[in-house]
Amino acid sequence: MAEKKTGAAKHSADYRDRKKAEAQRFGIETLAVEMAAGTRAGMTGAMKAHGYTQLQELLQNLHRSFLAASPEEQARRLQQHDAPAFRISPKLARQFEKASRAELKRDPGCEIEVPKPLPHGEQQCNAAQLDILE
């Protein structure tokens, strides 16, 4: 046996039905989006900086901006940036130098030879460069 709805329940059901019909008429879809906490915090900061009070409004404006852009601009915006170039720290450089010197001691004969002077008397490298090669 079905329970009889109260006036408030009928009003709520009617309201939901009207909203659903309105959404269908305007072609509005509900989309659940999972977002990382850091991204959400960044979006909140952008909302405050640009005067938005609702995330939905900001996202709709971003969507319209993206769709209005040329295909080339859309492709540029969608490019995934590579990780920053590998950086060799001074500590890593010292470790490499130490390991290289140890390897040269284990296997003599593959050392870098100091360049010979050029025929016209100029040096190929300066003293600082020679220190590196020793």
Side-chain angles (χ1 to χ4, degrees):
M1 185 166 125
E3 292 184 31
K4 199 167 190 179
K5 290 184 180 179
T6 65
K10 286 181 188 177
H11 178 74
S12 294
D14 289 343
Y15 176 79
R16 286 191 302 273
D17 289 340
R18 282 194 312 273
K19 284 295 187 182
K20 191 182 290 185
E22 183 180 328
Q24 284 179 339
R25 191 173 72 230
F26 290 124
I28 297 172
E29 296 180 23
T30 300
L31 176 66
V33 177
E34 292 182 10
M35 188 181 306
T39 303
R40 178 68 167 120
M43 294 298 277
T44 301
M47 288 172 58
K48 287 179 184 175
H50 299 286
Y52 287 90
T53 57
Q54 295 182 13
L55 179 61
Q56 180 176 340
E57 182 184 11
L58 173 63
L59 291 174
Q60 285 177 346
N61 284 348
L62 289 172
H63 294 157
R64 283 194 296 266
S65 171
F66 176 78
L67 294 173
S70 68
E72 294 82 16
E73 176 62 15
Q74 288 179 357
R76 187 193 67 76
R77 290 182 189 184
L78 292 174
Q79 284 178 347
Q80 295 291 325
H81 299 289
D82 292 336
F86 182 73
R87 185 179 159 286
I88 298 175
S89 67
K91 179 180 178 182
L92 183 60
R94 285 190 299 273
Q95 289 174 344
F96 179 75
E97 170 112 15
K98 183 178 177 181
S100 297
R101 289 185 187 277
E103 182 64 29
L104 287 172
K105 285 180 182 176
R106 270 194 299 266
D107 185 17
C110 62
E111 294 90 355
I112 299 173
E113 294 182 15
V114 177
K116 296 181 174 112
L118 294 173
H120 47 74
E122 295 180 19
Q123 289 185 338
Q124 278 184 306
C125 53
N126 60 33
Q129 290 170 322
L130 290 175
D131 288 340
I132 293 171
L133 297 175
E134 290 178 357

